[in-house]
Amino acid sequence: MLNKIQRLGHIQKLMIAILHDAIMTILALVTSIALRFDGFNIEPEIKPFLLKFIILTPFIQVPLFYLMGVYKGVWRYSSTPDLIKVIKSSIIATGALYLNFYLLFRLDFIPRSLPILQALLLISFMGGGRLLYRIFRDSREYGAYVTKGRDKLLIIGAGNGGERLFREIRKDPSLNLHVIGFIDDSPAFRNRTIHGVPVMGTSQDLSRVIHETHVQKVYIAIPSASSKTIRSLYEQLKPFNLEIKVLPSMSKMLERDFKIQNLEKIKIEDLLGREEVIIDPDTMFHMLENQKVLVTGAGGSIGSELCNQLAYFNPSHLIALDISEYNCYELDKNLKSRFPNLKITTLVGDVRDLNSINSLIAKECPNVVFHAAAYKHVPLMEFNPFESCRTNIVGTENVAKSCIQNHVERFVLISTDKAVNPTNIMGTTKRVAELIIQNLKSESHNTKLMTVRFGNVLGSSGSVIPLFREQIKKGGPITLTHPEITRYFMSIPEASKLVIQAGAMGQGGEVFVLDMGSPVKILDLAKEMISLAGLQEDIDIKINVTGLRPGEKLYEEPLMKQESLLGTTHPKVLVSKARPVPIEFGVMLKHLKALNHQSDRNEYIKALNKMVPEYKPFISQKMVDETRTIQ
């Protein structure tokens, strides 16, 4: 019978629902008459009127149910909002019924309590029918769900995330999952059940529960969980060789409908990430709301996430500039699908072209500019000093000077910790870019110029995590440049939020330094990624040490010796007390810009070294050999 109902079309199901409610309107009226008139002990002259009353009731009430949207709900998923709609509709329809009959027949023979009694019965009968159908469907599906042969699943988190996950699993028998219990640390769930499934303990009971139940899978359903919590749970689950999946973060959950497919295997980003960034939205709205915002390098990892974060603060116009046509296409498509009401202009352009940048900023007149355009790959830039200088130095100067010339309110340069005591061309060019912004402060009377410096971002293009992931996918080996190498890591959304926060706080001339937490040993990261892939080091995947690459440091530093950090109003945004820019900086910059493609690499190193005395070029035999190969 149930299968036949499921195969019916929409119109057929609608007609069944209408017929059910029509019968319920008659039944509610007849029952209320029977109760009020002592079992149909009715005077003969009243009976004809009551018969008309009974016949006409469904023709008055059911159309009102339809107009009030009662039939838009799906009985299978009847819930509190549907019940509220039934209550409102029953009261209004009953009132309309008696108003019509009062106008026609005055209703002197009808007791005043009858409409109240009828409305209550109508709510009970209509709501009860829907509830019984849902219970029937749930019991049928639940009965199929708990049959033997399914994979035993333990859900960590008995809150909203866990409950919704359980319902999704129960609705889809094809998942072949049997939820045997929940784990939750909240005292409110102790010795309780969720849809008849027990909460079996807290995270401290995890090992015991797994031993007792022999589960094959564990799903972590805590969208608000910090990486510290995820790591703690993962360390407890790791010895059992189970399939472990995790719900995405709360911010991602809000961006899309909840589906079982939202679950993902634990990634290294889940373990390395830190507590969710708390920002001050008031300062950000003050800077961005109803303002024009330009992002250069908008198609890159940081630039694209900056655009996504900026869009939430309701700018009047978001202008995204990138040199890559493909990056522009992808960014434009994604932004317009996520923010259809936001005015977005995506442009292909080159920050190294001064005339083009001047023309763009003069035409669009942005209020705020975030300059993310840069070359950042350390070894590549060692052999492309001209391109590195043109983009990271000349490009920055072009955009900053155009902002000053066109009275842009704020300019934010995105820099890197590789600019601190650099051993490579890329880091040195970014340090020169920082000095340019400091040097231009005296020329900038209307534009607040500032720099934000941070370390590696998790999963950015060209970074170590995507490289290791690809190497593991191919069966190895993982190539590690040095067993003692360490790096600071920050998630792309975290870095982007803090960049905007710093930009909103700046008054001009600051070098902001983001708190990167503790450094991570890359060897440990590689081992963890092998483990997360369900593989074993040396048996499935080998780790080969290849030696430091040209310009690569064992560790990064957030500050130079001459700098010191001061606190700000945000705990994760610090400001560096930077040293003064040399008087002869302008002359040295002019000399550097005079170098071209034909200039020897050593000329660039000498010119950069004069501008950044702490620059210590890294030279290795491997680098010498590679240089000879290129020549």
Side-chain angles (χ1 to χ4, degrees):
M1 179 65 179
L2 181 61
N3 291 334
K4 288 182 179 179
I5 293 174
Q6 287 178 303
R7 287 195 293 268
L8 294 175
H10 171 70
I11 299 299
Q12 292 168 308
K13 289 180 180 178
L14 176 63
M15 296 310 297
I16 291 173
I18 289 173
L19 179 61
H20 168 273
D21 290 348
I23 294 171
M24 292 303 106
T25 60
I26 295 171
L27 185 60
L29 179 57
V30 170
T31 305
S32 60
I33 291 171
L35 292 171
R36 189 62 186 82
F37 286 93
D38 298 325
F40 298 109
N41 186 17
I42 304 169
E43 296 176 10
E45 62 270 18
I46 298 177
K47 287 183 180 181
F49 290 103
L50 290 177
L51 183 60
K52 290 178 184 177
F53 208 173
I54 292 168
I55 293 170
L56 291 175
T57 291
F59 293 101
I60 293 173
Q61 290 191 317
V62 171
L64 284 171
F65 296 154
Y66 184 85
L67 291 173
M68 295 185 70
V70 170
Y71 302 111
K72 290 181 179 179
V74 179
W75 282 31
R76 169 68 184 88
Y77 306 115
S78 294
S79 58
T80 303
D82 298 295
L83 177 60
I84 292 170
K85 193 171 287 185
V86 165
I87 292 171
K88 288 180 179 178
S89 302
S90 298
I91 293 171
I92 292 170
T94 303
L97 175 70
Y98 280 87
L99 178 62
N100 276 281
F101 271 78
Y102 175 78
L103 295 173
L104 291 171
F105 306 112
R106 299 296 297 175
L107 298 183
D108 294 333
F109 53 88
I110 296 294
R112 293 179 182 177
S113 59
L114 188 65
I116 297 172
L117 189 57
Q118 183 185 350
L120 292 173
L121 288 169
L122 185 57
I123 291 166
S124 300
F125 293 162
M126 287 178 63
R130 286 160 170 78
L131 178 62
L132 287 171
Y133 180 74
R134 174 163 182 174
I135 291 171
F136 175 65
R137 283 290 302 272
D138 284 354
S139 64
R140 287 289 298 269
E141 290 191 9
Y142 187 73
Y145 160 72
V146 296
T147 54
K148 294 180 181 179
R150 296 179 181 275
D151 292 336
K152 290 182 179 179
L153 169 67
L154 182 67
I155 296 178
I156 299 178
N160 290 334
E163 190 271 339
R164 290 177 69 189
L165 176 60
F166 176 82
R167 283 193 280 120
E168 287 292 320
I169 291 169
R170 191 175 65 177
K171 281 193 304 186
D172 191 351
S174 67
L175 295 170
N176 198 40
L177 294 173
H178 171 200
V179 178
I180 55 94
F182 292 87
I183 291 288
D184 200 288
D185 288 340
S186 172
F189 292 111
R190 192 167 297 161
N191 299 320
R192 305 292 291 273
T193 61
I194 310 292
H195 298 297
V197 177
V199 178
M200 306 181 82
T202 67
S203 57
Q204 293 180 348
D205 304 307
L206 203 47
S207 297
R208 174 186 60 79
V209 171
I210 292 171
H211 278 299
E212 290 176 357
T213 58
H214 306 290
V215 297
Q216 291 111 336
K217 299 183 180 183
V218 175
Y219 290 174
I220 301 171
I222 315 173
S224 59
S226 66
S227 60
K228 184 179 178 181
T229 300
I230 299 293
R231 174 174 277 281
S232 174
L233 291 170
Y234 173 70
E235 292 298 333
Q236 292 184 69
L237 296 168
K238 193 175 177 181
F240 295 100
N241 196 28
L242 303 168
E243 180 185 296
I244 308 168
K245 287 190 175 181
V246 61
L247 280 181
S249 66
M250 187 63 73
S251 57
K252 289 184 180 178
M253 289 274 287
L254 294 173
E255 291 174 11
R256 51 189 170 179
D257 294 333
F258 183 92
K259 292 185 178 66
I260 194 74
Q261 288 78 12
N262 292 163
L263 285 158
E264 304 166 338
K265 288 187 176 180
I266 291 182
K267 304 186 298 296
I268 193 68
E269 290 90 341
D270 297 317
L271 305 181
L272 286 179
R274 301 185 289 159
E275 301 296 326
E276 189 156 350
V277 173
I278 305 299
I279 57 172
D280 177 9
D282 291 338
T283 59
M284 294 189 178
F285 271 111
H286 182 73
M287 174 178 68
L288 299 169
E289 192 170 24
N290 298 319
Q291 302 292 299
K292 281 189 176 183
V293 184
L294 168 65
V295 179
T296 70
S301 305
I302 290 292
S304 58
E305 182 60 25
L306 263 176
C307 290
N308 279 301
Q309 298 288 346
L310 290 165
Y312 284 110
F313 295 97
N314 197 29
S316 62
H317 187 184
L318 179 59
I319 307 154
L321 176 73
D322 199 273
I323 196 170
S324 166
E325 178 191 29
Y326 177 74
N327 285 354
C328 284
Y329 165 74
E330 285 293 315
L331 179 67
D332 189 70
K333 180 178 66 174
N334 293 335
L335 285 175
K336 287 179 178 175
S337 66
R338 293 185 62 191
F339 307 100
N341 298 320
L342 176 63
K343 183 180 179 183
I344 298 167
T345 303
T346 308
L347 302 171
V348 178
D350 188 350
V351 296
R352 298 172 298 190
D353 186 337
L354 178 58
N355 291 332
S356 175
I357 289 298
N358 261 329
S359 176
L360 167 63
I361 293 178
K363 178 184 175 183
E364 298 294 348
C365 299
N367 303 96
V368 184
V369 172
F370 290 90
H371 181 54
Y375 282 135
K376 63 178 185 177
H377 196 276
V378 170
L380 277 177
M381 291 305 104
E382 286 301 297
F383 301 109
N384 293 276
F386 173 70
E387 295 297 331
S388 186
C389 290
R390 279 189 71 212
T391 299
N392 296 355
I393 295 175
V394 177
T396 298
E397 185 183 40
N398 288 346
V399 179
K401 282 191 170 181
S402 294
C403 287
I404 294 169
Q405 183 179 326
N406 292 283
H407 308 294
V408 172
E409 293 170 22
R410 288 176 184 269
F411 170 91
V412 182
L413 167 67
I414 296 173
S415 190
T416 169
D417 57 4
K418 291 178 175 61
V420 179
N421 300 324
T423 59
N424 53 69
I425 287 173
M426 190 285 285
T428 311
T429 57
K430 292 298 285 183
R431 176 57 187 154
V432 173
E434 292 182 359
L435 292 170
I436 287 171
I437 300 308
Q438 284 181 252
N439 195 50
L440 287 174
K441 182 185 175 183
S442 59
E443 300 178 23
S444 172
H445 303 294
N446 299 303
T447 303
K448 295 177 180 177
L449 302 167
M450 63 206 75
T451 296
V452 182
R453 185 192 292 165
F454 57 89
N456 299 277
V457 288
L458 293 169
S460 64
S461 59
S463 67
V464 68
I465 290 175
L467 172 64
F468 285 177
R469 194 168 279 144
E470 186 64 27
Q471 290 175 335
I472 291 170
K473 188 177 178 181
K474 291 179 178 178
I478 283 180
T479 53
L480 182 70
T481 58
H482 195 286
E484 296 301 319
I485 196 167
T486 63
R487 289 291 181 267
Y488 291 94
F489 284 99
M490 179 180 277
S491 72
I492 296 176
E494 180 184 11
S496 300
K497 286 177 185 176
L498 290 177
V499 164
I500 301 170
Q501 179 75 71
M505 292 163 55
Q507 297 302 309
E510 299 96 341
V511 176
F512 289 105
V513 179
L514 303 187
D515 175 11
M516 298 295 294
S518 302
V520 176
K521 199 171 182 179
I522 303 302
L523 177 59
D524 293 340
L525 184 145
K527 291 178 178 180
E528 198 73 88
M529 289 185 70
I530 292 171
S531 175
L532 285 170
L535 303 170
Q536 291 181 288
E537 182 193 350
D538 291 332
I539 297 173
D540 302 303
I541 302 287
K542 292 188 179 298
I543 298 177
N544 290 347
V545 177
T546 59
L548 289 172
R549 298 176 298 174
E552 190 172 39
K553 298 165 72 173
L554 275 179
Y555 57 92
E556 304 292 359
E557 305 157 271
L559 291 173
M560 285 172 281
K561 289 179 181 178
Q562 302 89 341
E563 296 178 325
S564 59
L565 281 180
L566 302 172
T568 69
T569 55
H570 195 285
K572 290 189 177 181
V573 179
L574 308 171
V575 66
S576 163
K577 190 176 180 182
R579 65 179 185 181
V581 179
I583 298 172
E584 62 275 18
F585 178 78
V587 176
M588 292 187 287
L589 179 61
K590 187 175 181 180
H591 170 69
L592 178 67
K593 288 162 66 177
L595 300 177
N596 54 41
H597 273 297
Q598 282 72 43
S599 301
D600 184 74
R601 179 177 177 278
N602 287 327
E603 290 185 67
Y604 279 98
I605 290 175
K606 289 177 183 178
L608 289 168
N609 207 184
K610 283 185 179 179
M611 302 179 79
V612 184
E614 60 271 18
Y615 169 36
K616 305 299 180 188
F618 176 91
I619 302 293
S620 67
Q621 186 59 47
K622 180 181 176 183
M623 184 172 174
V624 172
D625 294 340
E626 288 179 0
T627 305
R628 286 172 180 167
T629 303
I630 291 170
Q631 291 173 342

